[in-house]
Amino acid sequence: MLVFQKGHSREEGLLDDPVRYSHSDLGGVGLLQVPTARHAPDGDFHVNFSHVSPYNRTSISAQVLSWLEGTVRYTAITNRKYSNDEEFSGDQSYKDRGFDVKVRLSQESKLIPEVSLAMHDFAGTGLFSTEYILGSKRFFNWDFTLGLAWGNGGARGGIKNPFTLISNRFKDRNAETGEGGDVSFGNYFSGEEVSVVGGVEYAPSGSDWVLKVEFDGNDYQSEGLDNNFNQVYPINVGAGYRINDLFSVQLGLERGDTVMAGIQLGMNFGSEEALMPKFDKKPESILQKSPDLRSVKDVLSLDEEAFGLRDRLLKEKVNMSALKSTDTEVTIYAKQSKYRDQAEAVGRVTRVLINELPSTLSSVRYINQEANLNTNQVVVYTGPFEKAVVNDSQVGFESSFMKKGNAPIGYEEGVNKLVEYPSFDWRIRPVFSPSFGAPEAFVIYQLWVKLAADIQFNDNWSLNNVMGIDVLNNYDELEVVSESVLPHVRSDVAKYAEEGSTGIKRMQSDYIWKPSKTTFARISGGLFESMYGGVGGELLYRSVSNRLAMGIDANYVKQRDYNQLFEFRDYTVVTGHLSVYYDMPISNTLAKVSAGRYLAGDVGTTIDLSRKFKTGVVMGGWTTFTDVSSEDFGEGSFDKGIYIKFPLDLFFVESRKESLTASWRPITRDGGQKLIMGNQLYSLISN
């Protein structure tokens, strides 16, 4: 794909400013078929669609870190059927899944090019498996790339593989494609010969056009599925045009006689400019008023004053459950439901309290609650806070006027509780649930209505219910029956989808409490998810001042019937994990490692890495390895996938706290499958 991203040059006189980046047919930053050593700005996210007969490519590319690009791609090979069974394949073409990564090895300087290592289809069937070492150097509006390609992208050859000088094992490259998900370490940088690749990109200053010419290292005589075709010229040419900040289009000629066309949608999650402009009610101005020397405790001693204050805070979408006061300080226990950033809510609450309470108020103690758990506390000193608020601007957490710490275990002695039990809350919203790459249809989808109702019986005990009502789906196209040799803990998903299209998604009762200021506990029972119900528990250690957290959970569950009502099947299992979380100081990245027993009774480890960007978007991925062999696991070899969590704040002109999560895994198998439990403690207290 050919699009532009603005950046800044590092060497005046050699690098044009702004530096612009474009994307290749395959999705990542590059020329046409060949990637470059360039990387998009940190947080860049693009969806790409391209056509170069016989390939239709759909890909998602993300600049996960400033030096790491990742791409997930589906390739429809339109002149090949999905399988050898023509009746089963129907009209669906063969689909190939692939993962790409590109790592920057060195940055560009006045004399040294930017150098990157790129690996295409490194964890897939290997149909298009290619490794690249690339260097890119910019001179004014021209950006030159030169490198070497191994594998599919270097099939033209012409140069002896330099790695064969190190070891003879690099001479042989397995031409057979494996099952999706295989990682063929033995093939990387192997083969008798490699090919030179490269090209040039010309992006005129002040223009939205970009022109490209490249030398293609693939001669297309060794394509997978015996799908070889002629290449008139090894030179590809193309042009791209940036329509606006979101859309770009491209057109070109490849192999000398094949038209390339594509379109791309993109934005940058690393910049708050990607957020919709907000038209929230302005934060309350701090009033100039006559000194009031009454104590805060005296003013709030009357219930009508306390309930009046609660009503005032509800207008700021802050639900206060209790408060406590001294002569100079007020403590409130509250949950805010509007703002993605807790600092926004705390700042608004502090403004209201300064205006409503006497001038003797010197500090506000805000105890944040999630599911009635005290997750953290923030103390705001009102004097420095007032000085920091200029022109009614909202201020975040600043050490000059606030202190953040661990919250108390529960309601402290002497608090005035303003909540009555049982309390009831409900929500309704539409949900669209797609999955991709099924044999029967490329997209299997359901549009359904989510009805959620929560009952809080007391400070610790709650019941959470989710009902799903089907509106529209194409589950009737699902025909393949799982042949897994493992217990069918997930692979019967088609039966659950069709027979339980309308059903109970969750009916979970939880008792949640804090044994200490830094430990959290949960005991649960009921219907945990669409496929399992049972009993279980969890214990978590987490301190506000510590980047490391640890948790353990154990559950005895029984498989639910396909109709997702109250019946169960015969399968039962004990599953649980010991988990370690580390909030890394680099790039706001969270690492989670879990070890334990999975739903099929297999034992192993899951590694989950995710990063949160300034917009609130979270990108992450996981991989799981258990004692199930790749043969027993089936296609995919081991479980892995990616997910993106989108805050609704990204799409609305008013602030929203909620988010939507989209996940993708190559194929659903039975090995390495975890229970999908509601109210997991780490997620709950990290809101």
Side-chain angles (χ1 to χ4, degrees):
M1 297 295 162
L2 308 177
V3 296
F4 314 123
Q5 295 288 343
K6 291 186 178 181
H8 294 281
S9 63
R10 289 180 295 276
E11 298 294 336
E12 187 176 355
L14 290 179
L15 307 183
D16 191 26
D17 190 9
V19 175
R20 294 187 288 177
Y21 301 82
S22 60
H23 287 67
S24 73
D25 304 350
L26 282 75
V29 173
L31 294 163
L32 300 166
Q33 289 290 309
V34 178
T36 67
R38 301 295 182 192
H39 289 253
D42 194 15
D44 186 80
F45 178 87
H46 277 85
V47 180
N48 313 276
F49 305 95
S50 71
H51 169 75
V52 185
S53 181
Y55 302 128
N56 290 331
R57 296 185 175 99
T58 301
S59 62
I60 297 175
S61 297
Q63 196 66 36
V64 183
L65 297 166
S66 62
W67 50 268
L68 176 64
E69 173 191 274
T71 298
V72 178
R73 181 175 52 257
Y74 267 100
T75 301
I77 304 176
T78 58
N79 64 346
R80 294 290 186 270
K81 291 292 186 180
Y82 189 90
S83 73
N84 294 326
D85 186 337
E86 189 167 340
E87 182 178 353
F88 173 74
S89 297
D91 296 330
Q92 188 172 187
S93 61
Y94 186 91
K95 302 296 190 301
D96 180 77
R97 299 177 292 267
F99 289 90
D100 304 345
V101 294
K102 180 162 64 176
V103 179
R104 180 189 290 125
L105 302 180
S106 67
Q107 287 192 327
E108 182 178 13
S109 67
K110 187 173 183 179
L111 299 177
I112 305 299
E114 187 160 324
V115 178
S116 292
L117 165 67
M119 301 181 74
H120 282 186
D121 202 9
F122 81 100
T125 60
L127 206 63
F128 303 102
S129 177
T130 309
E131 299 83 53
Y132 297 92
I133 295 179
L134 303 153
S136 295
K137 191 74 185 72
R138 184 177 292 274
F139 295 92
F140 302 99
N141 294 332
W142 301 83
D143 197 24
F144 295 88
T145 293
L146 185 66
L148 295 177
W150 288 254
N152 176 261
R156 176 176 302 281
I159 298 177
K160 183 179 176 63
N161 182 359
F163 286 102
T164 59
L165 301 176
I166 301 173
S167 172
N168 286 332
R169 78 173 185 83
F170 288 103
K171 288 185 177 181
D172 298 321
R173 189 180 186 98
N174 183 6
E176 295 183 4
T177 59
E179 292 191 327
D182 288 340
V183 180
S184 303
F185 293 105
N187 269 353
Y188 297 156
F189 298 100
S190 63
E192 287 280 359
E193 294 186 346
V194 300
S195 176
V196 171
V197 293
V200 60
E201 176 182 9
Y202 175 66
S205 297
S207 170
D208 289 322
W209 287 93
V210 61
L211 305 177
K212 296 183 176 185
V213 180
E214 73 173 8
F215 179 79
D216 193 345
N218 189 357
D219 61 5
Y220 300 93
Q221 296 303 296
S222 305
E223 296 291 275
L225 307 180
D226 296 321
N227 198 20
N228 308 322
F229 32 87
N230 292 328
Q231 182 189 51
V232 180
Y233 302 112
I235 305 297
N236 302 326
V237 297
Y241 180 72
R242 175 180 177 271
I243 299 173
N244 54 38
D245 289 341
L246 294 177
F247 291 98
S248 298
V249 293
Q250 64 175 4
L251 189 65
L253 189 68
E254 299 184 5
R255 305 177 218 140
D257 63 354
T258 306
V259 174
M260 171 274 295
I263 188 169
Q264 186 177 65
L265 167 67
M267 62 177 61
N268 191 288
F269 294 144
S271 170
E272 292 186 345
E273 293 180 1
L275 292 168
M276 291 284 286
K278 295 294 177 283
F279 296 97
D280 296 327
K281 184 185 73 172
K282 289 184 64 176
E284 190 169 303
S285 299
I286 296 177
L287 304 176
Q288 297 294 324
K289 56 185 181 181
S290 301
D292 184 349
L293 300 182
R294 291 179 299 166
S295 74
V296 174
K297 186 175 183 179
D298 288 342
V299 170
L300 292 177
S301 61
L302 300 176
D303 281 348
E304 56 265 28
E305 294 292 339
F307 280 100
L309 188 60
R310 186 188 68 172
D311 293 340
R312 287 278 281 110
L313 294 181
L314 279 174
K315 295 179 181 179
E316 301 290 346
K317 303 299 182 182
V318 176
N319 188 5
M320 182 172 64
S321 65
L323 84 163
K324 177 183 177 181
S325 57
T326 66
D327 289 343
T328 59
E329 181 181 71
V330 61
T331 297
I332 71 167
Y333 295 73
K335 177 179 181 178
Q336 64 94 7
S337 58
K338 185 175 179 66
Y339 303 103
R340 180 168 48 84
D341 187 354
Q342 184 188 339
E344 179 90 13
V346 173
R348 288 173 178 263
V349 166
T350 303
R351 289 168 181 252
V352 170
L353 295 176
I354 289 174
N355 286 335
E356 291 294 317
L357 296 177
S359 52
T360 53
L361 178 70
S362 63
S363 60
V364 172
R365 186 167 166 242
Y366 181 98
I367 297 174
N368 189 63
Q369 293 185 317
E370 298 291 341
N372 277 32
L373 273 179
N374 300 336
T375 61
N376 64 66
Q377 74 170 17
V378 179
V379 177
V380 182
Y381 303 101
T382 57
F385 176 83
E386 289 188 60
K387 292 179 181 179
V389 176
V390 179
N391 298 325
D392 292 332
S393 62
Q394 184 61 34
V395 290
F397 290 150
E398 294 184 13
S399 58
S400 62
F401 59 77
M402 61 74 59
K403 181 173 65 177
K404 193 172 183 179
N406 296 313
I409 294 174
Y411 291 108
E412 296 169 316
E413 185 177 351
V415 300
N416 183 6
K417 292 180 67 173
L418 306 175
V419 63
E420 295 182 356
Y421 298 112
S423 61
F424 179 78
D425 185 31
W426 67 278
R427 303 169 301 283
I428 180 171
R429 65 178 176 87
V431 180
F432 181 66
S433 302
S435 61
F436 302 94
E440 301 88 344
F442 180 61
V443 181
I444 296 294
Y445 63 86
Q446 182 187 26
L447 176 64
W448 56 287
V449 175
K450 177 180 179 180
L451 297 174
D454 303 330
I455 304 173
Q456 191 76 35
F457 298 104
N458 57 36
D459 292 339
N460 307 106
W461 180 28
S462 65
L463 177 64
N464 307 110
N465 307 279
V466 177
M467 181 77 179
I469 300 176
D470 180 58
V471 177
L472 181 67
N473 70 71
N474 64 342
Y475 291 150
D476 57 337
E477 298 185 29
L478 293 169
E479 299 175 355
V480 176
V481 178
S482 172
E483 298 179 353
S484 173
V485 300
L486 298 173
H488 290 195
V489 297
R490 292 293 186 201
S491 58
D492 286 339
V493 59
K495 295 180 181 179
Y496 281 95
E498 190 166 7
E499 295 186 32
S501 56
T502 292
I504 301 170
K505 306 300 181 183
R506 175 169 292 137
M507 186 175 287
Q508 178 176 325
S509 183
D510 299 306
Y511 189 88
I512 306 177
W513 76 103
K514 292 181 67 173
S516 74
K517 282 188 175 183
T518 55
T519 56
F520 304 81
R522 171 181 53 81
I523 295 176
S524 303
L527 306 178
F528 295 147
E529 51 149 293
S530 60
M531 294 188 186
Y532 292 92
V535 294
E538 181 183 9
L539 184 67
L540 174 75
Y541 162 79
R542 191 186 186 201
S543 172
V544 170
S545 60
N546 196 337
R547 292 185 176 274
L548 185 69
M550 296 182 65
I552 187 169
D553 70 280
N555 308 275
Y556 173 80
V557 296
K558 192 169 186 178
Q559 195 170 38
R560 295 179 63 189
D561 195 51
Y562 301 137
N563 62 17
Q564 296 184 49
L565 295 176
F566 294 103
E567 295 84 6
F568 288 85
R569 297 172 58 78
D570 292 334
Y571 183 75
T572 61
V573 66
V574 175
T575 179
H577 292 80
L578 174 66
S579 300
V580 177
Y581 309 80
Y582 186 68
D583 187 7
M584 294 186 281
I586 302 173
S587 303
N588 203 15
T589 301
L590 176 67
K592 176 185 176 183
V593 180
S594 301
R597 193 168 191 246
Y598 296 82
L599 287 172
D602 46 333
V603 176
T605 302
T606 298
I607 300 172
D608 186 314
L609 296 174
S610 62
R611 184 185 178 195
K612 187 173 184 179
F613 294 90
K614 290 181 179 179
T615 54
V617 172
V618 176
M619 294 185 190
W622 81 89
T623 182
T624 298
F625 300 94
T626 73
D627 55 2
V628 174
S629 67
S630 58
E631 291 79 11
D632 287 343
F633 186 92
E635 182 183 352
S637 300
F638 58 94
D639 191 52
K640 65 273 187 185
I642 61 173
Y643 56 89
I644 304 177
K645 184 177 180 180
F646 296 98
L648 294 185
D649 190 71
L650 193 68
F651 310 108
F652 290 90
V653 294
E654 284 193 351
S655 295
R656 300 289 183 93
K657 186 180 179 182
E658 301 87 356
S659 61
L660 298 174
T661 299
S663 61
W664 180 89
R665 59 176 7 122
I667 195 166
T668 299
R669 290 295 182 185
D670 294 313
Q673 298 298 317
K674 300 179 77 171
L675 185 67
I676 304 172
M677 173 72 74
N679 280 338
Q680 295 186 36
L681 291 176
Y682 190 89
S683 299
L684 192 67
I685 66 177
S686 299
N687 282 340

